[in-house]
Amino acid sequence: MRRASALASIALAVLVAACDPATKDNRAETSRAFPTPDRPISELGSNAFSNERDREERREATTVMDLAGVQAGMSVADIGAGEGYYTVRLAERVTAKGRVVAQDIDGDALRRLGARVEADRLDNVSIKPGGEDDPKLPERSFDRVFLVHMYHEVAEPYAFAWRLWPALKPGGKIVVVDTDRSTDRHGIPPALLICELEAVGFHLEEFHRKPELAGYYAQFVAAETRPEPGAIRPCRLKTAKGAGATSASKGN
């Protein structure tokens, strides 16, 4: 499903509206050039893979990798890797000819993932700590970057996604899997996700709702250029009274 069809199926409007200037209190210095997000942030979820069996029974990772076109020899990044449900399956899919970078901000989770990677002898996997507003990925290095059920936890989405833009190879894609609910309930409405990523230099390419995902799949490609941080127009979240419908608008 291409971009126009995806937006129609979501049935959510992305409009242009005015907004108030962003405040910069209590933010990291590295984030202050970027707009303040107009949404609550979920607390960090558990990194344990106790639900891995359920996810595998639904064929979640297989469905996502198929939609993303992951093939042998690709270079992929698993952002918010936790203890590695996607990491180990991506490593198998790309084979020894490819590579997987697993990234997280939780040091304990990365240590447990490291033990798992070592036990499984996944020589094509490397583990890298990331920052709350910076994925810290090398430039022009990845065919696919996966953000699975974690984007709603990013406290500085504009800074984070803006710094993700250079990591893609030509033709590379960003894959977001998430749940259509409010960001303080471990999900993000698709209209808000699309608005935020388009604000920093990505375009929606595909959108799918799949029962295997217990949510939705959104695939983005990089625009030719990205705006300077001060030129980013932040998104505002709106909910229609009595209807539960959600839209996102870009401010000035």
Side-chain angles (χ1 to χ4, degrees), residues 53-130:
R53 179 179 297 176
D54 293 339
R55 299 173 83 178
E56 191 60 12
E57 287 179 354
R58 294 198 311 266
R59 293 175 53 83
E60 178 186 326
T62 298
T63 299
V64 169
M65 291 188 296
D66 287 348
L67 288 171
V70 178
Q71 300 177 5
M74 281 188 170
S75 177
V76 302
D78 182 12
I79 308 298
E83 296 185 7
Y85 170 67
Y86 272 85
T87 299
V88 298
R89 288 159 178 81
L90 286 167
E92 180 180 4
R93 179 69 71 97
V94 302
T95 75
K97 298 178 181 179
R99 67 163 180 152
V100 180
V101 173
Q103 186 258 47
D104 208 296
I105 63 173
D106 185 333
D108 289 337
L110 287 182
R111 282 187 285 274
R112 291 192 292 272
L113 176 56
R116 185 178 189 181
V117 167
E118 184 175 354
D120 291 350
R121 298 183 178 180
L122 301 178
D123 296 332
N124 61 344
V125 174
S126 58
I127 296 173
K128 181 179 178 63

Side-chain angles (χ1 to χ4, degrees), residues 1-11 204-207:
M1 184 184 302
R2 291 300 167 185
R3 182 170 180 270
S5 299
L7 289 176
S9 67
I10 296 169
L204 178 67
E205 185 179 55
E206 293 187 24
F207 183 92

Side-chain angles (χ1 to χ4, degrees), residues 138-169:
E139 293 187 7
R140 298 175 70 84
S141 297
F142 297 97
D143 299 292
R144 302 287 186 273
V145 175
F146 292 85
L147 299 93
V148 179
H149 293 299
M150 59 76 61
Y151 180 83
H152 56 264
E153 297 176 352
V154 178
E156 295 288 350
Y158 300 108
F160 187 90
W162 190 85
R163 292 172 176 141
L164 189 59
W165 187 89
L168 292 179
K169 293 180 179 179

Side-chain angles (χ1 to χ4, degrees), residues 16-24 27 30-38 133 151 156-166 192-202 225-236 249-252:
V16 177
C19 68
D20 297 326
T23 59
K24 297 184 179 181
R27 302 178 70 200
T30 52
S31 301
R32 292 190 174 190
F34 296 87
T36 302
D38 180 43
D133 63 357
Y151 180 83
E156 295 288 350
Y158 300 108
F160 187 90
W162 190 85
R163 292 172 176 141
L164 189 59
W165 187 89
L192 182 57
L193 169 71
I194 294 165
C195 186
E196 288 185 348
L197 289 185
E198 289 192 343
V200 299
F202 293 99
T225 61
R226 59 178 175 169
E228 291 301 314
I232 294 171
R233 301 175 66 193
C235 301
R236 294 284 175 172
S249 61
K250 292 181 182 178
N252 295 322

